[in-house]
Amino acid sequence: MYETGDPAQARRAAINAERRRLAAQEERRRGASAEDPARPRGMELRQWRWVGVNGREAVLAVRAVLEKLLPAGAAEASDAEAAQLRKALAGEPDQDRLLPAIAALLSRNAPDEVLARLGELRQAGVDWLVPEAAARLDVLTSSAPGLNPPGHRLTADSGPAFRLFAALVSGGLKHFPASRVGEIVPWAPLPVLDDLIDAGVLTARERPWTGRAADESGYLRARLLPGEVTDEEAALLGWTERERRNAYLRGEVPAAEAASPDADVYARLVALGEGSTEGMFTLEMMLPDAQRAVLLQVKGGAQTGNWTPGTLRDRGLWTLMENLWEPTTAYDPGRSPFHAWAALRRCYDLVIEGRVTAAGRQAERFLSLDLDDRPPSAHQRRQLAEARNVAAYAALVADDLTRAADLLEEAAEEQPQAAENLRLVRERKAIRKNDRPPPTNPYFDLRLPHATPGWEERYRDLVLESLDDTDEHARVNKARARIEEAHRYAAGDEVFFRLPLDGALYRAPDELPMAIVPPLAALPRRTPRCDVAEVAAVRAPAVMELLDGFRTAPPRPDRDRRH
């Protein structure tokens, strides 16, 4: 209110104030026009509104985008597309053709340029992207997209690149749909594929090695389908684990890992094949479930002497099984080839231990086998001859020379070496009973194999051990005297009963365990975890997918609205 009491004067003052306001407004308008002669006005603003650009500031922002876009794409732009942009810059945007022309030019730009241009349009309030694409643009331009990961509704209908980007920044690769993996395999960075493999999303079913570079192809196949990797590819990858496993399967002994030989599974398998029971628990922890079950069955079967047929067929496990097995009765050689081998070795061990009677009983188990239903193999016939030789030695020690001679006659039919033992028995039978020498082999009396060189050292050890046992001391000295006498008169060891006839039948199989060899494991990951570079590589195609949501026609304006 004006502080005057004259109404006429108050009216004149109000009129003058309004004139000054209008003058100032006109001066500002003229000043703005003088500063920017190209500033859109009037009809031009109306035409821009028909393509979805509202207000002078928005028009100026769109002009800036078009000016940046046209030079970048003019070389590849068609005359029609370039004409549409030039026409819009002249203030006459075409409602039907401008947006398709802009989308075409954007598609020929680099992803970073596309992202910058779309961001500028979005910041200016230009609604040329459908709402879903606009929301994805906000995610792609966010400085920390992982803090507010896009929801399922936003990613469900998106392209595979944006969906992969969203899963990557949010740490949810395990939720990436397997049905879309094939779409990203040709271009996704190798660390991203490794992440998908670790998440269980990418499998051999998608065959991701097709279409990749040769080194990446072999690497991915080794990660997903190791059994199909060729020797050449394995060599290029430097895949020593595969080479060592193949060497083991060929029967070769692979070198242990230099870093930790005790933790090497193949070194432990070699020791296991040699019968060593040390470190079996550690080996159990190193084996996969299937192979661990076999090893546990080997240990459990040693309690009763019952093993599965598959375990018994693995000759590389025989020595271990024999070392673990401690039966209280004689072995049954008819149960399996392993039982026959173990029974024959048991016969020999009992002889060396001085338990000749027990060795004879074990050998008799061979003689009682029922082989009428199937003809024995050559190997079985040799084992039977060896058992007859052991039984003959037990009969000889028991002074049953007739029984010993009968057994040796049968053994000589298969093993000619038994004929020499038969000769000794017959010569002994011809000597008067009181004049016969001791029947035992003196080497066995010293707990040594027949004709062992350097037997004197063993003799001295036994003498020291038997100082307090008169009978044992006399027995050891008598054995020494018999060996020395035989050598003194040049008769040599031929005057003693020979056992075994064929040492090969007693030796442990020269094979490695195969039933507990772990399957070829996939090549461990060799790429680093995804970082900024991988995220940027995934974002690039996700940006280009936004152009699928670029409108072909502007949003319809409200005709009744007055601006």
Side-chain angles (χ1 to χ4, degrees):
M1 299 297 295
Y2 298 96
E3 296 180 0
T4 178
D6 187 355
Q9 186 178 357
R11 181 173 180 273
R12 285 193 298 272
I15 292 174
N16 291 334
E18 180 65 15
R19 285 175 179 174
R20 287 194 298 271
R21 187 187 68 80
L22 293 174
Q25 181 179 354
E26 180 63 18
E27 185 177 356
R28 288 195 301 270
R29 186 186 64 79
R30 289 177 179 178
S33 299
E35 292 175 2
D36 187 5
R39 193 174 181 86
R41 298 183 300 275
M43 183 56 70
E44 183 179 357
L45 289 176
R46 183 179 179 84
Q47 288 181 330
W48 277 110
R49 281 198 296 270
W50 282 104
V51 293
V53 182
N54 299 307
R56 289 187 176 88
E57 299 301 328
V59 172
L60 292 175
V62 171
R63 280 181 176 178
V65 170
L66 298 185
E67 289 172 354
K68 295 175 184 176
L69 183 60
L70 186 57
E76 299 180 8
S78 66
D79 293 340
E81 293 166 354
Q84 289 300 322
L85 264 66
R86 295 188 184 98
K87 184 178 178 181
L89 290 172
E92 299 179 359
D94 190 304
Q95 180 181 355
D96 298 325
R97 297 182 178 87
L98 178 60
L99 267 62
I102 295 175
L105 289 173
L106 283 172
S107 66
R108 298 188 182 98
N109 277 260
D112 289 342
E113 290 293 326
V114 174
L115 192 63
R117 302 294 84 80
L118 292 178
E120 292 169 3
L121 292 174
R122 178 122 173 105
Q123 188 175 5
V126 179
D127 193 18
W128 283 349
L129 290 175
V130 298
E132 295 81 4
R136 292 170 194 142
L137 175 62
D138 292 340
V139 174
L140 293 171
T141 55
S142 172
S143 60
L147 296 179
N148 296 296
H152 175 72
R153 295 185 61 183
L154 186 59
T155 58
D157 298 329
S158 69
F162 179 80
R163 192 155 192 171
L164 180 62
F165 175 82
L168 192 60
V169 298
S170 64
L173 280 176
K174 63 181 179 180
H175 300 303
F176 189 83
S179 60
R180 309 207 70 173
V181 169
E183 300 177 65
I184 60 95
V185 160
W187 54 265
L190 191 59
V192 175
L193 296 185
D194 266 336
D195 274 355
L196 290 171
I197 292 173
D198 293 342
V201 176
L202 180 58
T203 63
R205 182 177 58 254
E206 286 79 22
R207 303 185 67 81
W209 48 83
T210 57
R212 307 287 297 202
D215 56 341
E216 292 186 355
S217 176
Y219 172 76
L220 290 172
R221 189 157 51 248
R223 290 273 286 140
L224 293 172
L225 212 61
E228 290 191 3
V229 177
T230 64
D231 293 339
E232 293 76 11
E233 289 174 330
L236 289 175
L237 291 170
W239 195 3
T240 56
E241 176 67 17
R242 179 181 183 275
E243 295 173 359
R244 295 176 60 257
R245 183 177 185 275
N246 288 347
Y248 183 91
L249 293 178
R250 290 193 300 268
E252 303 170 5
V253 179
E257 291 286 353
S260 54
D262 292 339
D264 179 71
V265 65
Y266 298 106
R268 290 191 177 277
L269 286 177
V270 171
L272 203 70
E274 295 172 351
S276 174
T277 58
E278 295 183 5
M280 288 185 64
F281 179 76
T282 303
L283 180 61
E284 289 177 21
M285 298 301 102
M286 298 169 65
L287 292 174
D289 291 343
Q291 286 68 38
R292 184 184 303 117
V294 175
L295 184 56
L296 291 175
Q297 201 279 326
V298 170
K299 294 172 62 177
Q303 305 298 321
T304 60
N306 295 318
W307 291 274
T308 62
T311 303
L312 291 170
R313 284 193 296 269
D314 189 349
R315 292 169 55 86
L317 293 172
W318 282 12
T319 304
L320 175 65
M321 291 158 58
E322 184 196 27
N323 290 347
L324 294 173
W325 190 20
E326 296 181 356
T328 56
T329 59
Y331 298 8
D332 181 4
R335 297 181 63 179
S336 73
F338 163 74
H339 289 84
W341 171 79
L344 200 59
R345 285 170 61 93
R346 182 62 175 161
C347 290
Y348 184 72
D349 290 342
L350 290 172
V351 169
I352 297 298
E353 292 171 8
R355 300 166 60 188
V356 179
T357 302
R361 287 197 299 267
Q362 179 64 74
E364 292 289 342
R365 296 296 298 269
F366 279 91
L367 308 184
S368 62
L369 289 178
D370 184 9
L371 300 176
D372 295 337
D373 57 339
R374 61 188 187 281
S377 64
H379 183 75
Q380 288 176 322
R381 292 195 300 270
R382 291 168 58 203
Q383 285 184 327
L384 186 57
E386 197 70 36
R388 288 191 173 108
N389 189 60
V390 175
Y393 181 71
L396 172 64
V397 173
D399 206 27
D400 189 352
L401 301 183
T402 301
R403 171 66 173 164
D406 294 340
L407 289 170
L408 289 171
E409 286 177 358
E410 296 179 8
E413 296 177 1
E414 185 64 34
Q415 292 277 24
Q417 300 91 328
E420 189 64 25
N421 288 340
L422 178 60
R423 179 186 63 80
L424 293 176
V425 170
R426 287 174 175 171
E427 289 178 355
R428 182 178 181 81
K429 194 174 183 180
I431 300 174
R432 291 177 54 188
K433 189 171 184 178
N434 292 336
D435 296 335
R436 295 171 184 170
T440 59
N441 184 317
Y443 289 100
F444 298 158
D445 292 337
L446 296 177
R447 309 294 184 257
L448 292 173
H450 174 68
T452 299
W455 58 270
E456 295 90 346
E457 182 177 356
R458 174 61 174 167
Y459 160 74
R460 287 190 291 270
D461 292 340
L462 290 177
V463 167
L464 294 176
E465 294 174 6
S466 61
L467 290 177
D468 297 331
D469 189 338
T470 305
D471 294 338
E472 178 68 12
H473 192 76
R475 187 187 64 80
V476 170
N477 282 322
K478 186 179 295 186
R480 175 190 64 82
R482 291 177 60 200
I483 295 175
E484 289 179 344
E485 183 180 2
H487 286 255
R488 184 182 304 118
Y489 293 104
D493 298 324
E494 300 299 325
V495 297
F496 305 130
F497 193 97
R498 179 178 175 182
L499 193 160
L501 300 175
D502 185 358
L505 295 174
Y506 297 82
R507 284 194 290 270
D510 188 18
E511 299 177 19
L512 295 171
M514 294 297 172
I516 53 178
V517 177
L520 180 61
L523 180 68
R525 176 174 182 159
R526 292 183 174 180
T527 61
R529 294 293 174 182
C530 292
D531 205 346
V532 177
E534 287 73 29
V535 174
V538 173
R539 185 176 67 172
V543 169
M544 302 309 292
E545 285 179 351
L546 293 176
L547 297 180
D548 296 336
F550 200 89
R551 296 181 186 274
T552 58
R556 185 177 180 86
D558 184 1
R559 295 177 183 271
D560 298 327
R561 182 178 177 184
R562 295 293 181 263
H563 298 279

